Amino acid sequence: MSEDNSSRHAVDVSEAQIAVHWREEAYFSPSNRFIAQANLTDPGVFERFSLDKFPECFKEFADLLDWSKYWETTLDASNPPFWRWFVGGRINACHNCVDRHLAKHKNKTAIHFVPEPESEAVQHLTYQELFVRVNELAALLRDFCGLKAGDRVTLHMPMVAELPITMLACARLGVIHSQVFSGFSGKACGSRISDSESRVLITMDAYHRAGQLLDHKEKADIAVVAAAEDGHRVDKVLIWQRYPGKTSSPTKLVPGRDVVINELLATYRGQRVDPVQLPAEAPLFLMYTSGTTGRPKGCQHSIGGYLAYVTWTSKYIQDIHPEDVYWCMADIGWITGHSYIVYGPLALAASSVVFEGVPTHPDAGRPWRIAESLDVNIFHTSPTAIRALRRNGPDEPTKYQHHFKHMTTVGEPIEPEVWKWYHRVVGKGEAVIVDTWWQTETGGFLCSTVPGIHPMKPGSAGPGIPGIHPVIYDDEGVELPIGSGRAGNICIRNPWPGAFQTIWKDPERYVRQYYARYCRDPNSKDWRDWPYLAGDGAVQAADGYYRILGRIDDVINVAGHRLGTKEIESAALLVPEVVEAAVVPVADEIKGKVPDLYVSLKPGLAASAEIANKISASVVSEIGAIARPRHVIIVPDMPKTRSGKIMRRVLAAISNGQDPGDVSTLANPEVVDTIKGLAK
Ligand code: WT7
């Protein structure tokens, strides 16, 4: 497939243009009422976490956790960029999220599970019930599956209470979970199974989405076949029933391989499993994410550093108190859900809402009905969801008696107009908002205002959080001064406990992609020489707030979900008629960005709707419905440079209704007008 570095600039240009539209916005202040109860109001925190206090300042993070053996070394940075946090310590994540709360909070709700059908009752799972269910499942995983610390297990589960239960049961044993977003296809799940070498797949028979009960078990069968094609065998598929005691999927069980968890659990009733205490830097989970190549990267997160990081940021940036009812409307299949539905809130003994459905189904009042009835006071969602709720029900929030003290937005840049609706209408002017910028790789928030300290500025994430020291470099590695107004590549100067440890089975790619670009000396043993490259463009205003402009690599952020253009192109190339494929991001009112897919066919083949549909179907079956292209545009030839590279910049301009600029240096400038006609 052709490489084309100019595709980066296509993304830069359109994002930067959006950003230029955004004037410097006026500040909004948190209310005195919020500040009076906030966990963090002391501006001295930034002094406590200044670079000269690094790394010892992070003791404060670790001290939010229970350690079975306290650690000795805060940071071992002797082998950059493979950082080891809280070395010498031993810890168990499940103990920290469940067992340690029993003394004070056993009868408090840990998880409110809200099924999509409004006719079904909400399930309120107390910490004691969570403890019982996690233990029984851990016993099953250990004794029936033979799983032990360090083994990997792939989960392909929807948004149900059984998902955090399964994650915590794995964590209790030290088994590394790798949850794959339920919307991903069976094939996408299969390639993650084989990459992580999971012998066990845990799934659910069915789940509700947008009014339909979807058969999910069928994807497990496809996943196992896909893994086998990679030469990897799955021994057991464990299937949760969406309705215990009942089968909700028409897909048959495979004898000897498939087991219904709900039936088998009876054998383990009442069993208890001691949490397995592991070194702080043992892996807790893998989370696959998209990058520049077609192969997803398994980001490996540690137990101690990760849990300390999400717990501290949940407490001080999300302002979670144990008595709060907290609802993050993300999916646990993404990092947001791992960090800020499961591990962070539960480590703080909060009540965390798990919602099965789609926010706008059956209508855009649904989230506010849930918030009202559960008395949710902290709400967390993405700009895509906010845009969809605003479009479908701009006045809906005013009809309900919910009151949020705090709201989070995450995953994409938020337009100031959308931010203001979120503040005025959803938050009723009472809620403080944090716009949190971070990534799968970073474990938790990097930039955000501290809600009890900083004023908010619509469209800007804010400064680095305490302990995070961002810097913007230009392409030559020169630091852009604060308030320069120039866009550059945002990096983090220092390691932090939540950072991923490596890419599973690919440490070289980890070094190359995240640390090589601005490394001052590859032989250096000094962490100061190893800034972390986030892969986003950003500008920093004079007040120190960062505004994130979007990805600088071949990644498209669709509805806050990260898709690799190469993954989509590879899926298109599986269709035998296709010889070339190029994906470009198109601005979308709701989803932020959507992919347009340009393809050229084998000589002699005519374009047809049938071929276009086949290509679209291939993308959905290889990756999942979230990657479905807006349009498949069959072109006679791709615009190319004289050296034969596809000019994605030109295609992106056409898709976005912009002027492709000077194309006279192309090898085939005449094709541009033809493509313009086809893309209409
Ligand atoms: C990419 C990471 C962070 C969890 C969800 C996404 C974009 C993330 C913001 C924000 C503007 C943002 C970046 C980043 N992004 N948060 N507040 N403002 N852009 O995790 O799938 O790893 O995606 O999402 O481009 O690199 P992810």
Side-chain angles (χ1 to χ4, degrees):
M1 209 182 314
S2 320
E3 284 287 338
D4 173 12
N5 290 329
S6 68
S7 63
R8 286 179 28 192
H9 302 295
V11 182
D12 282 354
V13 170
S14 57
E15 295 282 1
Q17 280 168 347
I18 295 170
V20 168
H21 266 69
W22 297 1
R23 298 170 284 111
E24 270 296 295
E25 292 283 330
Y27 292 120
F28 285 68
S29 299
S31 70
N32 289 335
R33 193 160 161 211
F34 176 82
I35 294 171
Q37 61 80 63
N39 280 330
L40 180 54
T41 52
D42 171 17
V45 65
F46 288 96
E47 176 48 35
R48 260 184 7 249
F49 283 91
S50 65
L51 260 189
D52 55 312
K53 308 276 165 48
F54 179 88
E56 301 312 323
C57 54
F58 283 110
K59 176 181 184 335
E60 185 177 319
F61 283 50
D63 285 347
L64 292 175
L65 303 178
D66 272 10
W67 296 83
S68 75
K69 177 173 176 290
Y70 201 70
W71 44 276
E72 287 134 27
T73 310
T74 312
L75 170 65
D76 171 3
S78 62
N79 181 28
F82 298 93
W83 323 113
R84 296 169 67 219
W85 285 93
F86 310 128
V87 183
R90 295 184 83 85
I91 188 163
N92 182 279
C94 181
H95 165 84
N96 273 281
C97 292
V98 185
D99 305 36
R100 69 162 169 163
H101 303 318
L102 297 181
K104 266 203 203 151
H105 301 293
K106 68 176 172 197
N107 292 328
K108 173 175 197 261
T109 299
I111 293 171
H112 294 284
F113 169 58
V114 183
E116 188 184 81
E118 282 188 281
S119 55
E120 277 179 32
V122 174
Q123 295 170 24
H124 311 277
L125 217 79
T126 64
Y127 274 96
Q128 177 67 24
E129 287 168 326
L130 183 61
F131 173 76
V132 169
R133 294 191 62 184
V134 165
N135 269 280
E136 291 174 352
L137 182 64
L140 184 157
L141 296 178
R142 183 190 61 190
D143 299 343
F144 179 74
C145 302
L147 290 167
K148 55 181 192 319
D151 292 345
R152 279 81 54 207
V153 168
T154 296
L155 281 46
H156 195 204
M157 294 185 59
M159 282 291 287
V160 290
E162 286 80 358
L163 174 49
I165 289 171
T166 307
M167 290 162 66
L168 291 165
C170 289
R172 196 166 188 85
L173 298 170
V175 168
I176 304 168
H177 58 74
S178 168
Q179 153 71 5
V180 176
F181 171 56
S182 62
F184 275 138
S185 67
K187 283 193 180 169
C189 180
S191 66
R192 287 156 177 80
I193 291 174
S194 60
D195 189 76
S196 62
E197 297 168 285
S198 303
R199 295 277 172 205
V200 175
L201 168 64
I202 306 180
T203 188
M204 182 167 257
D205 55 2
Y207 65 99
H208 292 278
R209 189 172 168 83
Q212 269 183 297
L213 184 63
L214 303 180
D215 178 6
H216 191 58
K217 169 31 171 105
E218 64 179 6
K219 288 187 176 176
D221 294 1
I222 297 168
V224 172
V225 171
E229 282 166 7
D230 294 341
H232 180 80
R233 204 179 99 107
V234 174
D235 296 330
K236 287 192 168 62
V237 177
L238 305 186
I239 302 145
W240 285 103
Q241 291 170 322
R242 172 64 181 78
Y243 295 97
K246 191 177 144 191
T247 303
S248 301
S249 158
T251 309
K252 297 266 173 310
L253 298 188
V254 175
R257 187 197 73 183
D258 295 359
V259 181
V260 174
I261 299 183
N262 302 74
E263 290 166 3
L264 193 61
L265 265 178
T267 321
Y268 298 91
R269 200 139 293 154
Q271 294 213 10
R272 298 288 179 267
V273 173
D274 284 339
V276 178
Q277 304 291 344
L278 290 170
E281 71 273 31
L284 177 60
F285 66 86
L286 303 179
M287 168 66 64
Y288 282 85
T289 192
S290 300
T292 307
T293 71
R295 213 158 43 87
K297 310 176 265 199
C299 294
Q300 177 186 318
H301 282 283
S302 70
I303 306 174
Y306 169 83
L307 195 64
Y309 198 74
V310 299
T311 306
W312 196 97
T313 50
S314 293
K315 178 162 181 180
Y316 295 114
I317 304 297
Q318 306 245 62
D319 203 56
I320 297 180
H321 301 52
E323 52 276 14
D324 288 325
V325 182
Y326 166 87
W327 181 14
C328 171
M329 211 169 57
D331 194 293
I332 298 174
W334 308 102
I335 192 71
T336 306
H338 275 52
S339 301
Y340 298 115
I341 297 177
V342 181
Y343 286 112
L346 296 184
L348 293 172
S351 302
S352 187
V353 177
V354 172
F355 173 48
E356 181 180 32
V358 176
T360 49
H361 179 86
D363 59 75
R366 184 75 205 277
W368 323 128
R369 287 197 287 284
I370 294 170
E372 182 186 79
S373 75
L374 297 178
D375 203 17
V376 172
N377 67 339
I378 306 181
F379 185 66
H380 182 157
T381 192
S382 66
T384 288
I386 302 168
R387 288 188 289 258
L389 290 163
R390 175 176 179 239
R391 173 145 97 188
N392 295 323
D395 302 320
E396 283 300 309
T398 62
K399 300 179 189 163
Y400 299 93
Q401 289 305 314
H402 66 276
H403 290 280
F404 298 142
K405 69 164 184 178
H406 182 292
M407 305 193 300
T408 300
T409 159
V410 64
E412 318 150 65
I414 182 165
E415 299 80 356
E417 278 318 298
V418 176
W419 190 100
K420 286 174 195 167
W421 179 79
Y422 193 37
H423 184 257
R424 190 182 74 249
V425 184
V426 178
K428 307 187 176 185
E430 306 164 338
V432 72
I433 296 182
V434 293
D435 178 345
T436 58
W437 170 72
W438 59 295
Q439 314 173 295
T440 304
E441 294 87 340
T442 72
F445 307 145
L446 294 178
C447 286
S448 168
T449 49
V450 175
I453 296 178
H454 294 120
M456 313 160 237
K457 191 163 72 176
S460 291
I465 69 160
I468 296 294
H469 301 275
V471 55
I472 300 180
Y473 292 117
D474 71 9
D475 283 340
E476 277 66 53
V478 177
E479 236 180 276
L480 297 182
I482 187 168
S484 75
R486 283 171 57 207
N489 301 321
I490 188 166
C491 296
I492 310 298
R493 294 181 197 272
N494 58 298
W496 66 98
F500 72 140
Q501 302 175 289
T502 188
I503 297 174
W504 183 253
K505 293 198 302 195
D506 205 348
E508 274 167 34
R509 192 176 174 195
Y510 162 81
V511 178
R512 198 169 62 239
Q513 225 136 53
Y514 299 94
Y515 291 98
R517 175 90 184 258
Y518 292 114
C519 178
R520 279 176 275 278
D521 170 9
N523 296 314
S524 169
K525 298 288 172 210
D526 185 344
W527 58 265
R528 290 170 195 81
D529 292 328
W530 293 85
Y532 168 83
L533 174 77
D536 278 320
V539 284
Q540 189 184 24
D543 58 11
Y545 285 31
Y546 291 93
R547 188 197 291 166
I548 306 301
L549 304 175
R551 303 287 311 183
I552 57 170
D553 54 12
D554 299 311
V555 164
I556 306 188
N557 192 331
V558 179
H561 301 148
R562 209 161 124 181
L563 296 171
T565 52
K566 289 279 183 292
E567 289 167 64
I568 303 177
E569 290 165 5
S570 309
L573 288 164
L574 291 177
V575 176
E577 288 88 343
V578 176
V579 283
E580 283 178 313
V583 165
V584 296
V586 190
D588 180 87
E589 212 188 311
I590 299 291
K591 295 181 174 174
K593 291 270 182 294
V594 291
D596 257 4
L597 171 55
Y598 288 84
V599 294
S600 63
L601 305 180
K602 280 187 183 146
L605 290 179
S608 69
E610 195 195 333
I611 296 181
N613 291 340
K614 207 159 115 183
I615 295 167
S616 200
S618 176
V619 173
V620 173
S621 88
E622 288 299 312
I623 305 170
I626 51 163
R628 192 195 309 273
R630 180 186 74 148
H631 297 310
V632 176
I633 303 129
I634 302 177
V635 299
D637 195 10
M638 296 283 185
K640 287 194 185 130
T641 62
R642 284 176 213 275
S643 60
K645 290 181 178 173
I646 300 178
M647 289 295 281
R648 287 177 173 74
R649 181 174 58 75
V650 172
L651 298 173
I654 295 173
S655 275
N656 286 287
Q658 295 162 349
D659 178 6
D662 181 10
V663 295
S664 61
T665 58
L666 292 185
N668 52 352
E670 68 288 348
V671 82
V672 173
D673 279 334
T674 316
I675 296 176
K676 272 191 196 161
L678 291 167
K680 274 206 182 108

